Amino acid sequence: MILTRVCSLFLAAVFAQSAMAGPNTPADNSDVLKEKLAETLSVEVHSLQESPIPGLYEALTDRGVLYISQDGSKLFHGNLYDLDKGMKNLTEAALAGPRIEMMKPLEENMLVYKAKNEKHVVTVFTDTTCGYCRKLHNEMQEYNDLGITVRYLAFPRSGVPSANADEMESVWCAADPLQAMTDVKGGKRLKLSKCDAKIAEQYNLGQSFGVNGTPAIVLEDGSMIPGYQPPAALLKVLESTN
C-alpha cells in the first residue's frame, strides 16, 4: 500500500509538471539527465526518449528501463501499462526493438541448436544450474522438431565472477560446446577451461534486458518471456506474434 501511494504521488507530480510545460515537450537537457542517472545510479544509459506519459522520459540502461521526470528530480522504476489496449506492457514494448540490435554483437558467441526445418528462432538466457533450464534443454529435440532453433546466451545466476560463471565459460570453451552443455545439464562435471567466451558480456546483456531469472526467452520480435515454456506452448506464442 505504501509503495502504491508513493507511485501515485509521483505520477501525479509528473502530470502536474507536464500540464505546465505542455505535452511531449522535447527535452533539451537530455545529456544532463543521462549524466545524472549515470552518476546517481551507476548505470550506463543507452538512450533517452519521451515516454508515453508526457513529462516523463524513458531511459534504456544497462539495468533495464528507468523513467525520469523532465527536470531530473523524480525517478520511477516499474512497468507502464496501457489501460486502453488490453493492459499492454509499454515498458516491455520499449525494450523489444533495442534487444534485437543489442544481441547482434554477441551472435557469434551463441550456442545454437538449429532446427533442420527452421521456422522460428528464439534466444534463451540459460544457466547450467537451473532446473527449468535443464528441463528445457532435455526437450531440445522437441523444439527443433517443431522448427524452433534455440540460441543460448549465458546468464550465470550467481553473477560474474563466480564458480557458476567459470563453469559456463568452460562449456563455451569446450571442443564441442553443444555436447558440453548437454553433459553439464545432465549432471556431468566438466574440466575447467578458459577462452574469450564473453560470459560477462552475455550476463550484462541479460541484465540490460531485464532478465532476473532463467530461462528467459527472447522471441523473434524482441519481446521476452520469463521462465520455461513447453515446446508446443512456445510454438503457439511464436505463431501468434508473426
Side-chain angles (χ1 to χ4, degrees):
M1 293 298 292
I2 295 176
L3 179 60
T4 301
R5 176 65 174 165
V6 169
C7 290
S8 298
L9 290 173
F10 164 71
L11 291 174
V14 169
F15 281 123
Q17 181 186 47
S18 65
M20 293 184 291
N24 300 318
T25 303
D28 57 1
N29 61 336
S30 59
D31 290 339
V32 174
L33 295 178
K34 290 179 181 179
E35 184 177 351
K36 185 167 186 177
L37 285 172
E39 291 181 353
T40 305
L41 302 177
S42 299
V43 297
E44 179 183 351
V45 182
H46 300 306
S47 65
L48 183 73
Q49 60 185 11
E50 294 180 353
S51 81
I53 298 179
L56 192 65
Y57 287 86
E58 179 183 274
L60 177 59
T61 78
D62 60 351
R63 293 296 181 269
V65 174
L66 300 173
Y67 298 95
I68 186 170
S69 59
Q70 187 173 334
D71 66 358
S73 67
K74 306 293 187 301
L75 180 75
F76 177 70
H77 181 211
N79 290 325
L80 292 180
Y81 296 91
D82 193 325
L83 295 174
D84 295 329
K85 294 184 179 180
M87 286 292 289
K88 179 181 178 181
N89 188 329
L90 299 178
T91 303
E92 172 62 24
L95 278 167
R99 284 191 184 118
I100 296 173
E101 294 302 315
M102 292 167 70
M103 285 192 297
K104 287 182 178 179
L106 288 173
E107 284 183 349
E108 64 181 24
N109 299 103
M110 296 177 180
L111 302 190
V112 182
Y113 294 82
K114 187 173 178 60
K116 290 183 179 179
N117 183 24
E118 183 179 278
K119 299 176 182 176
H120 305 283
V121 178
V122 298
T123 306
V124 180
F125 285 90
T126 192
D127 180 277
T128 52
T129 65
C130 154
Y132 276 104
C133 294
R134 292 180 174 180
K135 181 174 176 60
L136 185 154
H137 192 80
N138 288 339
E139 298 171 349
M140 186 62 70
Q141 191 60 55
E142 294 180 51
Y143 291 103
N144 289 168
D145 288 345
L146 291 173
I148 302 172
T149 289
V150 177
R151 310 187 303 182
Y152 277 152
L153 284 171
F155 192 84
R157 294 179 297 164
S158 298
V160 179
S162 67
N164 186 196
D166 291 342
E167 179 179 61
M168 298 199 75
E169 182 176 13
S170 297
V171 170
W172 258 255
C173 297
D176 185 346
L178 301 187
Q179 183 60 48
M181 179 67 80
T182 298
D183 291 342
V184 170
K185 286 187 175 179
K188 295 182 180 180
R189 301 195 68 175
L190 196 65
K191 181 180 178 181
L192 293 180
S193 59
K194 290 186 175 296
C195 66
D196 186 21
K198 292 184 169 53
I199 299 299
E201 288 86 345
Q202 295 180 53
Y203 175 74
N204 291 336
L205 181 67
Q207 285 197 312
S208 71
F209 283 9
V211 175
N212 52 29
T214 53
I217 305 172
V218 182
L219 306 182
E220 294 160 308
D221 64 352
S223 58
M224 188 168 70
I225 303 174
Y228 162 80
Q229 292 287 313
L234 180 58
L235 179 62
K236 288 184 178 179
V237 172
L238 289 166
E239 290 176 339
S240 68
T241 59
N242 288 342

